[in-house]
Amino acid sequence: MFASTDGGRSDEETPQQHESIADFYAGKSVFITGVTGFLGKAYLEKLLYSCKDIDKVFVLIRNKRGDDVGKRIEKLLDSSVFSRLRSHRPEDLKKITPVYGDIDKSELGLSLADQERLIKEVSVVFHVAASVNLDADLKTSLVTNYFGTTHVLKLCHRMKKLKVFVYVSTAYCNTTVKVLEEKVYPLPVELDEVVKIMEQPHLDSNRVKKLLNGRPNTYALSKALAEHYIAENHGDIPVIFIRPSIVTSSAREPAPGWADSFQGATALITACWKRVNRVIYGNGDNIIDLIPVDYVSNLSIVAAAKVKSTTEIAVYNSCTSSIKPMTLKGIAEQIERVNTENKQGSIFLPTIFFTSSWLFVIMLTFVLQLLPSFIADLFLYITGNKPMYMKIQSKVLHGRHILNYYTNDSWVFKSDSSQRLQDSLSPADKRLFPCCPSDIKWDEYFNTYFCGIDNYLLKRK
């Protein structure tokens, strides 16, 4: 649970009340994993832009899909996320210091020289890297999300200047509970049992299902296991768990609506907005917890700066359901509002149908999506054009299937600690690092969200 006590901290360790968030990072070096991902890029850009006197930001880079590490760094720096840095302070991009390795390997696959640099210089670690494939098998999820975390924590224990270790988890790792608090929940399976299962050449599906114990997928289980490993092995390292819900495009920074992939719910929301998906499995009153990416990065950066030297783990839910709840029906209304305001309203109402009956899901999907797509493809074929609509439907239905668990249920994630954290900031830091979504206005955000999808993902101005 979030620790508000100063247990064991000496006066010398207590940060001055007037110290700003940027002051905390001044002269310090930070290590971030997962910087080539959506969330990792947001962390990296915000630290460089708003903490001007930060010393270096070490980033873990590995080879991927045939790209060498040099090309990956070049591609990273060319990303639209760094537009304002390139425009105003391009020299600060030189603070990005790549170290080449692999989260899946012992000691992160780092060279001895890079290990020594991190051990001597790093004060704050943000472990953001994760395999977020909700379809992944158990071994794939555990290798990166569980064992990768063990590798990072072991390296942290060797860091001589380390002030705090921030682990980015997920709000959905304990979904057997309907109202989730900011605390570490008990795990119904021993870590040793999971390791033994991992050593087996073939995984029994029944044992995997038993391990999941009501969790939606191996991603959620692997994040829960990683949390428990950290809780049992962090020793005297101050630890923070950040639990974001469904991360969506930015509200304000680095630019309104910024996104770099159809990640999480964005693909399904876009499909509904563009009317290639008309059916959602679930009750329209179910809460769907969306959180803009900049609130997650701000919360993490602020929490690290305000950390207390305690053996208790501070847990922060980066979520909207307990403060600014949004329902599935509410998202549908936002889609219809935006389309109407842009004179793109549908003549077929409602735009989206909600049902908790599989039979109705199948029937409505056939009538409203598959049949029109088949007819459209048939027309394209007859006129000598390449059919495409059934292929689009295949992708849409696959994405919808993955998210069925989340749309057909409802949770409330408490975020009292996040609110208290924001309340503790100076007026200037509240403006620079908004981290509690109590100020979100959904109408404004969805305008920004859809513009961002058009600009950054669909490449249409």
Side-chain angles (χ1 to χ4, degrees):
M1 185 180 294
F2 172 76
S4 58
T5 114
D6 287 328
R9 184 208 287 271
S10 68
D11 292 338
E12 166 174 275
E13 291 174 304
T14 304
Q16 298 299 314
Q17 290 186 351
H18 66 269
E19 182 182 57
S20 70
I21 301 303
D23 286 341
F24 171 82
Y25 288 97
K28 291 185 175 69
S29 290
V30 171
F31 177 48
I32 308 177
T33 67
V35 290
T36 57
F38 177 46
L39 190 52
K41 286 176 185 156
Y43 277 69
L44 178 57
E45 196 277 344
K46 181 61 175 176
L47 280 168
L48 290 171
Y49 189 81
S50 295
C51 304
K52 300 178 182 179
D53 296 321
I54 199 168
D55 185 16
K56 287 188 286 291
V57 182
F58 292 97
V59 298
L60 184 67
I61 300 291
R62 68 182 175 93
N63 286 319
K64 186 177 180 181
R65 296 191 184 98
D67 289 346
D68 63 39
V69 287
K71 288 182 179 178
R72 295 200 78 198
I73 280 289
E74 186 179 330
K75 185 177 179 182
L76 175 66
L77 296 180
D78 285 342
S79 171
S80 59
V81 71
F82 298 116
S83 294
R84 62 178 180 173
L85 272 168
R86 284 196 296 266
S87 297
H88 302 123
R89 301 202 319 271
E91 67 280 0
D92 282 359
L93 291 171
K94 296 178 182 177
K95 295 179 180 180
I96 299 174
T97 306
V99 289
Y100 306 124
D102 191 330
I103 195 75
D104 298 345
K105 295 181 179 178
S106 177
E107 297 176 333
L108 304 180
L110 296 168
S111 68
L112 290 176
D114 282 339
Q115 289 181 50
E116 285 303 314
R117 291 191 71 186
L118 297 177
I119 290 166
K120 290 179 180 178
E121 299 183 41
V122 169
S123 297
V124 181
V125 172
F126 293 100
H127 180 32
V128 188
S131 170
V132 295
N133 181 4
L134 303 185
D135 260 353
D137 60 68
L138 181 61
K139 284 190 176 182
T140 301
S141 291
L142 288 178
V143 164
T144 298
N145 298 339
Y146 173 70
F147 289 103
T149 300
T150 69
H151 302 326
V152 175
L153 185 60
K154 287 173 183 176
L155 181 63
C156 287
H157 275 292
R158 299 164 61 195
M159 292 179 176
K160 298 176 181 179
K161 295 183 177 181
L162 189 65
K163 301 292 183 185
V164 58
F165 172 53
V166 180
Y167 176 61
V168 181
S169 184
T170 173
Y172 292 94
C173 60
N174 297 290
T175 49
T176 52
V177 182
K178 294 301 179 185
V179 179
L180 291 111
E181 299 178 18
E182 292 164 301
K183 66 180 184 180
V184 179
Y185 282 86
L187 196 65
V189 60
E190 294 295 329
L191 296 179
D192 290 343
E193 181 183 347
V194 178
V195 174
K196 288 178 182 177
I197 291 174
M198 282 286 293
E199 293 171 349
Q200 297 175 4
H202 302 289
L203 293 180
D204 180 79
S205 59
N206 290 327
R207 293 196 70 181
V208 172
K209 187 175 181 180
K210 183 180 177 182
L211 283 176
L212 290 177
N213 192 40
R215 289 179 174 83
N217 44 53
T218 59
Y219 168 71
L221 175 62
S222 63
K223 299 298 274 187
L225 289 170
E227 282 192 5
H228 277 265
Y229 177 84
I230 296 167
E232 293 181 3
N233 295 279
H234 71 95
D236 59 357
I237 298 174
V239 169
I240 294 168
F241 288 165
I242 303 293
R243 290 189 186 139
S245 53
I246 301 171
V247 183
T248 52
S249 65
S250 64
R252 302 180 184 89
E253 297 180 288
W258 172 76
D260 73 342
S261 66
F262 284 108
Q263 176 173 298
T266 295
L268 184 58
I269 290 173
T270 303
C272 293
W273 176 35
K274 299 303 179 182
R275 299 192 185 89
V276 291
N277 185 79
R278 303 287 300 279
V279 187
I280 296 291
Y281 179 51
N283 189 306
D285 292 325
N286 286 348
I287 294 173
I288 189 80
D289 199 305
L290 308 178
I291 185 73
V293 65
D294 42 342
Y295 281 89
V296 183
S297 58
N298 286 341
L299 177 62
S300 305
I301 291 167
V302 168
K306 295 290 185 179
V307 70
K308 299 179 184 296
S309 295
T310 171
T311 55
E312 292 186 57
I313 293 175
V315 181
Y316 297 94
N317 289 337
S318 188
C319 307
T320 54
S321 52
S322 65
I323 301 173
K324 290 280 184 174
M326 171 57 67
T327 63
L328 290 170
K329 192 191 307 179
I331 294 176
E333 290 169 354
Q334 291 290 342
I335 289 172
E336 195 57 39
R337 177 187 62 80
V338 170
N339 282 342
T340 300
E341 289 175 1
N342 288 280
K343 298 180 180 179
Q344 297 174 348
S346 174
I347 61 172
F348 300 106
L349 295 176
T351 300
I352 303 171
F353 290 83
F354 301 100
T355 176
S356 296
S357 164
W358 266 117
L359 179 59
F360 279 110
V361 168
I362 294 168
M363 290 172 57
L364 289 170
T365 299
F366 177 78
V367 172
L368 298 174
Q369 295 177 212
L370 295 177
L371 187 57
S373 296
F374 177 78
I375 293 171
D377 273 351
L378 184 60
F379 176 78
L380 287 175
Y381 178 77
I382 292 171
T383 56
N385 295 298
K386 185 177 180 181
M388 62 178 182
Y389 292 104
M390 287 299 291
K391 185 176 181 180
I392 292 172
Q393 278 299 313
S394 176
K395 292 180 179 179
V396 167
L397 295 182
H398 176 69
R400 191 181 74 183
H401 175 74
I402 291 173
L403 295 175
N404 278 341
Y405 178 89
Y406 303 94
T407 58
N408 194 42
D409 211 332
S410 194
W411 299 269
V412 173
F413 303 102
K414 306 294 284 185
S415 50
D416 299 338
S417 297
S418 302
Q419 183 67 64
R420 286 196 296 269
L421 189 63
Q422 177 158 292
D423 291 343
S424 73
L425 300 179
S426 68
D429 276 340
K430 284 179 182 178
R431 290 191 299 271
L432 280 173
F433 299 93
C435 54
C436 186
S438 54
D439 61 344
I440 286 181
K441 296 179 176 62
W442 284 119
D443 282 5
E444 293 179 7
Y445 176 70
F446 273 93
N447 289 340
T448 299
Y449 190 13
F450 292 138
C451 283
I453 291 170
D454 260 346
N455 291 342
Y456 294 102
L457 302 180
L458 300 177
K459 308 297 182 183
R460 300 189 308 183
K461 299 296 181 184

